[in-house]
């Protein structure tokens, strides 16, 4: 659904099929693709694009840190696994439900590749549908917010150790009050990354104890 919405947004802003394919293959960054449509439409300069991308996608720094152990020893697969680590893929990989008899790195690769393919195909369908049926796109960008809420709830339900989630919510709330809604994201992610890195061993030990 999110990728289809992205395709519709591209179409209603005057960008066609090749834009949808190119952005979905090479950018492939969920929320940033929504923002990218607005940046294209407004004629934003490269500096604005670079800073906006850093702010919107800074959460992927945290994603990458948590995937260090899972992707260790992936060999030639690692480069693509890093590129394809979107919100949806992160949620599925973090579940750790690797089917019996399947190599973990192959499982992660297939999840990443299929999610990528779904995104490209969905974006193409969005452009095609947007060219046939007129859409009112008001509120369509809330789809990514809904996705983040869904990912959070899914992770909460599938893990017994909730202290990282509670920490994230608390730090985000404090940073929002201190820096405001425009500038709070970077300080939030830096603080969460530092906090979880320092307490990583303690949190892992607590997760093992709660799971035993």
């Amino acid at each position: 659904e999110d990728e289809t919405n992205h395709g519709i947004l591209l179409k209603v802003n005057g960008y066609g099929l090749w834009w949808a394919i190119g952005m979905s293959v090479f950018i492939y960054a969920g929320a940033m693709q929504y923002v990218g449509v607005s940046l294209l439409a407004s004629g934003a300069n490269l500096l604005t694009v670079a800073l906006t991308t850093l702010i919107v996608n800074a959460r992927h720094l945290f994603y990458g840190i948590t995937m260090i152990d899972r992707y260790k020893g992936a060999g030639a697969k690692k480069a693509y696994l890093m590129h394809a680590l979107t919100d949806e893929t992160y949620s599925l990989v973090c579940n750790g439900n690797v089917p019996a008899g399947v190599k973990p790195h192959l499982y992660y690769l297939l999840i990443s590749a299929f999610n990528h393919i779904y995104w490209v195909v969905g974006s193409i369908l969005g452009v095609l549908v947007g060219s046939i049926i007129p859409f009112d796109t008001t509120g369509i960008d809330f789809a990514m917010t809904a996705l983040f809420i869904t990912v959070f709830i899914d992770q909460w339900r599938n893990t017994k150790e909730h202290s990282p989630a509670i920490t994230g919510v608390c730090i985000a709330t404090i940073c929002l009050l201190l820096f405001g809604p425009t500038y709070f994201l970077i300080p939030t992610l830096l603080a969460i990354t530092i906090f979880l890195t320092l307490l990583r061993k303690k949190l892992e030990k607590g997760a093992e104890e709660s799971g035993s």
Side-chain angles (χ1 to χ4, degrees):
E1 181 180 351
D2 294 321
E3 58 271 25
T4 304
N5 291 340
H6 170 249
I8 293 172
L9 280 177
L10 278 172
K11 185 60 182 179
V12 299
N13 281 279
Y15 298 96
L17 184 62
W18 291 111
W19 280 96
I21 295 174
M23 292 180 73
S24 297
V25 171
F26 298 108
I27 299 177
Y28 187 44
M32 186 56 212
Q33 288 185 231
Y34 281 80
V35 178
V37 177
S38 300
L39 293 174
L40 284 171
S42 65
N45 58 50
L46 290 177
L47 179 60
T48 299
V49 172
L51 291 175
T52 303
T53 301
L54 176 63
I55 293 172
V56 173
N57 282 350
R59 68 187 184 281
H60 288 266
L61 295 171
F62 174 72
Y63 289 175
I65 290 174
T66 60
M67 290 294 107
I68 290 175
D69 290 335
R70 291 181 188 271
Y71 289 172
K72 185 180 296 183
K77 303 181 187 73
K78 184 179 290 187
Y80 179 73
L81 289 173
M82 291 187 293
H83 170 66
L85 190 59
T86 59
D87 303 301
E88 298 89 345
T89 301
Y90 176 77
S91 178
L92 292 172
V93 171
C94 276
N95 283 339
N97 298 323
V98 180
V102 178
K103 295 181 179 179
H105 291 146
L106 176 60
Y107 175 72
Y108 302 148
L109 177 66
L110 291 175
I111 285 179
S112 302
F114 277 115
N115 277 346
H116 200 168
I117 292 170
Y118 297 153
W119 188 274
V120 174
V121 173
S123 294
I124 292 173
L125 290 176
V127 171
L128 297 178
V129 171
S131 63
I132 299 172
I133 305 173
F135 279 91
D136 179 5
T137 60
T138 303
I140 200 171
D141 51 353
F142 182 75
M144 291 308 299
T145 302
L147 171 63
F148 295 147
I149 294 173
T150 301
V151 170
F152 179 86
I153 293 174
D154 181 66
Q155 291 300 309
W156 183 277
R157 294 175 63 184
N158 285 284
T159 58
K160 295 182 178 179
E161 178 56 60
H162 298 314
S163 55
I166 295 172
T167 297
V169 171
C170 292
I171 291 177
T173 302
I174 293 171
C175 289
L176 179 62
L177 294 174
L178 291 176
F179 301 101
T182 304
Y183 302 105
F184 87 103
L185 185 59
I186 294 294
T188 296
L189 292 170
L190 287 175
I192 290 174
T193 301
I194 292 171
F195 182 86
L196 294 182
T197 300
L198 293 175
L199 298 181
R200 179 182 174 186
K201 291 184 178 180
K202 182 178 180 180
L203 291 173
E204 289 178 345
K205 182 178 180 181
E208 292 175 357
E209 291 176 350
S210 61
S212 60

